[in-house]
Amino acid sequence: MAITIYHFPPSAPSRCAVLVAKALGLDVDIKVVNLFDKEQLKPDFVKINPQHVVPTLTDGDFTIWESRAIATYLANLYEKGDKLYPKDPKARALVDQRLQFCAGTLYPRIRAICFPVLFLGEIEVEESKKSSLEEAIGFLDIFLDENDFVTGNTLTIADISIAASLSSIIAVGWDVTAYANVAKWFAKCTLEIPGYMEINDAGAQQFGKAVKSKLAPGQI
């Protein structure tokens, strides 16, 4: 049976899963679940995923969600070679750490800014949230010191995850040029991640437009 990814293009984690599938050369059936229209709450989707989140992947009779779990699953099972997700324990641990940085630090700080704007009616961003995100981007800048990518000089699934997350807030208007390593890395990712413009940029721009339409002027 074909692999299916339930996907919402404005969602950074969702774009990550699709980008990893693309990088692995997989033929994936994409089914869009529009979160803005609350399609994730429809009974047929809740039956597949009781947490009703995207991305969700089905591979035959196997179902999994959470983008980094999907990324590692796909790479473990389908990668020819091990550049995207190295098999060496130390190299893999570093990729896993960067994935956890995205899941536990960078993306939550982006979400803390954007979710209240999109769904809770807030039109201003607290300075503490801005400072928190700046700190996370600063950590990323350190990771990239003397490296082309976040774990060294080879593109991995960690780069894909972090680039998808960061692209969302950049599309809102966040300026990362003060972080020279991050700016250089992000430009490289747009060129080297397979399908970046088609899969990621379009969705990030859609996300950015939605947030900006609800923000008060000058907030970001």
Side-chain angles (χ1 to χ4, degrees):
M1 296 178 64
I3 298 171
T4 297
I5 296 178
Y6 294 84
H7 174 49
F8 183 47
S11 163
S14 194
R15 297 195 306 272
C16 167
V18 177
L19 284 169
V20 170
K22 176 72 172 180
L24 292 168
L26 299 177
D27 183 15
V28 174
D29 181 23
I30 302 295
K31 293 188 177 180
V32 173
V33 179
N34 191 323
L35 304 189
F36 292 156
D37 292 340
K38 300 187 184 301
E39 291 181 355
Q40 74 275 21
L41 301 178
K42 290 184 175 180
D44 57 345
F45 186 64
V46 174
K47 185 176 180 179
I48 295 168
N49 178 350
Q51 282 188 259
H52 49 77
V53 296
V54 295
T56 294
L57 176 144
T58 59
D59 186 6
D61 60 359
F62 179 70
T63 301
I64 191 171
W65 50 93
E66 300 296 345
S67 63
R68 291 96 189 167
I70 290 171
T72 56
Y73 169 76
L74 290 175
N76 274 324
L77 196 57
Y78 295 108
E79 184 176 13
K80 298 177 177 65
D82 71 342
K83 288 185 178 180
L84 285 174
Y85 195 39
K87 291 182 172 62
D88 174 79
K90 291 181 180 179
R92 174 165 288 201
L94 191 55
V95 173
D96 288 340
Q97 187 273 318
R98 301 299 195 244
L99 287 171
Q100 291 301 317
F101 165 77
C102 187
T105 301
L106 179 64
Y107 182 71
R109 297 184 190 190
I110 294 170
R111 188 179 186 277
I113 290 172
C114 298
F115 183 88
V117 176
L118 285 173
F119 298 107
L120 303 179
E122 295 187 14
I123 63 172
E124 297 182 350
V125 179
E126 297 172 10
E127 289 300 321
S128 61
K129 292 181 179 180
K130 295 179 183 180
S131 297
S132 183
L133 178 54
E134 291 287 357
E135 181 186 50
I137 298 172
F139 293 147
L140 178 59
D141 202 65
I142 294 169
F143 300 160
L144 290 161
D145 192 32
E146 299 183 358
N147 291 327
D148 289 337
F149 297 102
V150 297
T151 65
N153 294 313
T154 302
L155 179 78
T156 70
I157 58 175
D159 294 281
I160 295 174
S161 178
I162 294 171
S165 293
L166 194 63
S167 66
S168 291
I169 198 66
I170 288 175
V172 175
W174 205 273
D175 186 3
V176 299
T177 56
Y179 304 92
N181 294 333
V182 172
K184 181 180 177 181
W185 162 84
F186 185 73
K188 184 181 289 287
C189 285
T190 66
L191 298 175
E192 298 202 18
I193 295 175
Y196 179 90
M197 295 305 293
E198 172 193 357
I199 297 167
N200 191 75
D201 190 65
Q205 293 304 322
Q206 187 180 352
F207 177 85
K209 182 178 179 180
V211 176
K212 287 187 289 187
S213 72
K214 297 175 181 293
L215 272 176
Q219 288 298 302
I220 290 180

